[in-house]
Amino acid sequence: MESDLARLLQCNEMPSQRMMAEIKHFLQEPLAKFRANQLEIERLEYAIRTLNNEQAKIKEIVKPYNTVLAPIRRLPTDILREIFSHCLSSHRLPIISATEAPLLLTHICSSWRTIALSSPLLWSKIIISLPSQTYYDNNDSDEEKEDKYILSEEEMAQRQNYERVAELRAEVTKIWLDRSGPNCPISISIVCPYTRYPCWNNSIANIIDIIIQHSRRFHSIEMAVQQNLYSHIQELLSDADLSMLKAFKLKIQEPISYRTPARLPIDTPVSLPLKNLMLDTFSLSWKTCTKDFTVIPISWNHLRRLFLHSPIQQKDIIPLLSECSNLSECRIWVSNYFQEPETTPKTLTRKVFLPRLHSLFIHDTTRSPVTAAAYAAIDAPALRTVGYTRSYHGSVDRYGTVTEDLSAQLSSFCHIVEGASVDKFMLAMAYQLSETIVGVLKRTTWPKHVIIGQKPLPFRLAESTGSPRYLDTTGPQTLPELNQFDLSSLTITNESHSTGHLLPRLEYLEVYGISCSSDDAAATMIKSRLSAYKAGYVSCLRTVILHFNRPMERDIEGEIRQYAYDAGVSPVKLKLMYKPVKSRLPHMMTYSSSYGLSNRKGFTWSGAMEYDEFGDSVDSGEQDDDEY
C-alpha cells in the first residue's frame, strides 16, 4: 500500500475501491488515538485553568502578608537614609520636581515620606531657577513716575501668571531649605538666563531673601545670572556669614551674539563677597577681561580646584599658579586682549612646582614669548589629564602658518606634558596644519587616551557651559569645521619601526571635525595599529570615535571587525559620525527660569527659545502641579 500511496501522491489519479478501504482501515487506530489525546488535552487545560484560578486566589491571600514581611521593611532607618542619598542626581544638583528625588521619595508611602522629610542631607542641595520676566513693566520701580507704561490685557495676564509662579517658587524654596535643618551645610545653584526685561523685582527679591537667610550654612554656591542681578545678590551677601563656604562658582550671563565686539579690560571683573575665605573650589566665567586676578579676596593657597573661564594675561599665569600650590584641577584662559610686554617679566623665569596637580586645561589665544616662558616654568609631575586648545587668532593667518613665537609656545607647553605621565591628552588647534598637530603629539608618548578637536556642539550651547570654546572666532562657526588633522599620521608603517611610532601607548582615540582624511585612510590607520599590536610594537587600540565633517564615503565598520577577527585581536569599539551637527536650540527645561510662563511648547511669550544651562535638553510639556 505504501508504494501505491507514494504513486498517488505524485499525481491526481483517483484511488481504487480496494485502496480506499485499506486506507480507511489503517486510519481507524491513529484517529482513535488522536481523539483520546484531544480529550486528555481538554481535561488538562481545564485542570490548569482551575489551578491558575486557585493560584490567583492564594496570591491575593498571601500578598498582604508578603508585603508585611518584605526585607525593605526590616532595613534600619539610617540604611534607608543612605539609600535615599544615592537616589539624588549625580551630575547636577536636585531640581524642584516630583519626578525625581528627593520629592519623589515623599510620594511612595507615609513611612518613606517621614524618613525623607527627616533627612536634612536630602534637602541640602537644590537648583533654584529664578523666573524670567517676559514683559516690560516699570510700575514697580517708578511708582511716582507720571508717564507709566500701561500694560495690555495680554501683558497683564502674563504679569499675574508671573507673580503666581514666583510666589509659588518662593514658597517651595523656603520649605525645601527649611527641611535641610538648622546646621546642615547646603549647596545652592541660582540660575537666571539673560533677558532684555527687568531681572530684579519684588518677586525675585523675595526668593533671594529666602536664600540669604541660610547663608551661614552655604557650603557651595553656584550662580549663573546677569551682572545687575548679581550686584543685588552681592550686596545682600556682603554682610552675610559665609564661614562654611568651600566652593564658589559664578557665571555672568550676557547676551549671546556671534559678532559681539571684544570687551575692554577692566581692573576687577566683578565684586566678590569672599572675604579671604578658605575656598576649596573657585570658578569664574565672564567674557570680560581682567587685569589682575590676585585682587580677588580669597586664600589662593587653599584652593584645590580653580576654573577661570575669564581671560587672564600671560604675565599673570605664573604669579597666579604660584599662589595655588595645592591645586589638583585647573582650567585657565590665556588671552591676547592685552598689550604684550616688551620683555619677559622676571616673575616668569622662576619655576612653579605643583605637586598635586593632576588635571590641567589651557585655552590659549596668545602668540607671545611671555606665554612660552610661563609654560616652561610649570612643573607638575603628577599630571594625568592635560588639555590644550587655541583659536586661529593666535596664529599669523588662518591657514596654519606656524610662526617662531607660536612654535616656541607649543614647545614650552609640550615641556609640561613631557615632565609627567599623562594618561589623557586633549588637543584642539583651529586652522593648524596636520604637521603642527603631529609635532605636538610626537612630544607626548605616554597618553593612552587622546582627543583631537572638540565635540560638535552648537555654538550657543558651547557658550552656555562657560568654557572658552573659540569665543573669539567671527561668525557662527563651530570648532569641528576647523580641524585639519590627517588620520594617516597615526598609521604604523615599516618606516615608523625605525623612526619611532606616534603614540605607542594609544588605546582610546577620539577625533572630531575630520576634513582631511578619507574613510579608507581611517580604515588603514586602524588596521595598521591592530597589526602592530599583534607584532608587539604598540598597545591595542580598543575604542575609536571619529567625527567626519562630510558625508560617508563607504562603510568600514564591518571591514575592521572582520580584520580584527582574522588577526585574532580584540574587536575595536568603533563609532563613526558624519556631517557636522546642525545647531538647534533645545527645548525649554522643566526647571528653567521660564517654566510655567510659556504659552506654547518650547517658547516664552517673548518668542525666545530657552536652553538648559547644564547641558541637557528636555521638552517642557504641560505644567505639573508638583513642578514649579
Side-chain angles (χ1 to χ4, degrees), residues 16 105 252 265 270 278 302 368 388 458 489 495 504 515 530 559 617:
S16 63
L105 299 173
I252 299 297
V270 68
M278 296 182 182
H302 291 84
S368 166
Y388 182 80
S489 304
E495 296 179 357
S515 57
L530 292 178
E559 175 185 343
S617 60

Side-chain angles (χ1 to χ4, degrees), residues 461-473:
L461 190 58
E463 282 196 328
S464 72
T465 62
S467 59
R469 296 174 60 89
Y470 289 78
L471 300 182
D472 57 350
T473 56

Side-chain angles (χ1 to χ4, degrees), residues 582-618:
K582 295 182 179 179
S583 299
R584 186 182 66 178
L585 299 179
H587 286 300
M588 182 172 56
M589 293 295 298
T590 55
Y591 55 91
S592 73
S593 300
S594 296
Y595 185 69
L597 302 176
S598 60
N599 58 351
R600 59 194 179 99
K601 186 175 182 180
F603 289 86
T604 64
W605 279 307
S606 62
M609 181 80 77
E610 295 292 338
Y611 69 96
D612 173 27
E613 284 296 326
F614 300 91
D616 299 320
S617 60
V618 178

Side-chain angles (χ1 to χ4, degrees), residues 202-458:
N202 294 334
S203 300
I204 295 296
N206 187 25
I207 299 176
I208 297 300
D209 287 340
I210 293 173
I211 298 173
I212 298 300
Q213 291 175 8
H214 301 269
S215 60
R216 180 184 62 84
R217 298 189 290 124
F218 283 173
H219 178 267
S220 171
I221 182 168
E222 303 177 23
M223 285 181 281
V225 296
Q226 297 181 54
Q227 184 179 359
N228 53 359
L229 176 56
Y230 174 74
S231 298
H232 290 279
I233 298 176
Q234 190 274 334
E235 183 178 351
L236 295 174
L237 286 174
S238 59
D239 297 327
D241 179 12
L242 301 175
S243 56
M244 296 182 66
L245 187 63
K246 294 299 180 184
F248 183 87
K249 300 179 181 180
L250 174 63
K251 173 179 171 60
I252 299 297
Q253 302 279 38
E254 298 177 285
I256 297 175
S257 174
Y258 297 129
R259 301 189 181 277
T260 301
R263 293 162 176 76
L264 295 177
I266 59 176
D267 291 332
T268 305
V270 68
S271 180
L272 302 173
L274 302 180
K275 302 178 182 178
N276 295 311
L277 296 176
M278 296 182 182
L279 296 179
D280 178 79
T281 302
F282 177 69
S283 174
L284 181 61
S285 177
W286 197 24
K287 288 192 293 184
T288 302
C289 310
T290 180
K291 286 185 177 179
D292 188 6
F293 265 101
T294 59
V295 300
I296 299 177
I298 63 176
S299 298
W300 297 96
N301 189 47
H302 291 84
L303 283 179
R304 293 197 301 123
R305 300 177 183 87
L306 176 63
F307 308 107
L308 295 181
H309 300 301
S310 298
I312 63 174
Q313 299 184 81
Q314 310 97 308
K315 66 181 182 63
D316 288 336
I317 299 175
I318 296 305
L320 182 62
L321 294 180
S322 299
E323 296 291 333
C324 307
S325 58
N326 291 311
L327 280 182
S328 60
E329 298 180 49
C330 180
R331 291 174 181 262
I332 57 176
W333 178 1
V334 185
S335 172
N336 62 351
Y337 289 153
F338 305 95
Q339 184 176 1
E340 299 177 1
E342 296 180 358
T343 59
T344 302
K346 293 183 179 180
T347 55
L348 297 183
T349 59
R350 70 172 187 267
K351 290 284 185 180
V352 54
F353 183 56
L354 302 172
R356 298 177 178 84
L357 186 64
H358 64 77
S359 178
L360 174 64
F361 285 85
I362 297 177
H363 177 68
D364 194 349
T365 59
T366 67
R367 181 175 48 83
S368 166
V370 177
T371 309
Y375 292 161
I378 298 176
D379 184 9
L383 273 178
R384 293 296 178 267
T385 303
V386 177
Y388 182 80
T389 64
R390 66 177 300 111
S391 63
Y392 71 82
H393 283 299
S395 305
V396 172
D397 56 44
R398 58 183 296 173
Y399 300 104
T401 303
V402 181
T403 64
E404 183 177 350
D405 290 341
L406 179 56
S407 178
Q409 198 163 311
L410 294 176
S411 178
S412 298
F413 178 80
C414 292
H415 166 76
I416 302 176
V417 182
E418 289 175 332
S421 300
V422 176
D423 290 328
K424 186 175 182 179
F425 182 67
M426 193 271 282
L427 181 66
M429 300 195 298
Y431 288 127
Q432 297 298 326
L433 296 178
S434 182
E435 291 79 3
T436 306
I437 300 175
V438 171
V440 176
L441 295 179
K442 286 182 178 180
R443 302 278 297 273
T444 58
T445 58
W446 286 100
K448 296 180 180 179
H449 188 170
V450 174
I451 304 173
I452 301 175
Q454 289 181 318
K455 295 182 179 180
L457 293 177

Side-chain angles (χ1 to χ4, degrees), residues 484-515:
Q484 300 186 25
F485 179 69
D486 187 0
L487 289 176
S488 60
S489 304
L490 297 175
T491 303
I492 304 297
T493 62
N494 294 330
E495 296 179 357
S496 63
H497 293 329
S498 57
T499 59
H501 305 299
L502 186 63
L503 301 175
R505 301 177 72 244
L506 181 64
E507 296 182 9
Y508 305 91
L509 174 65
E510 300 179 44
V511 185
Y512 298 97
I514 303 171
S515 57

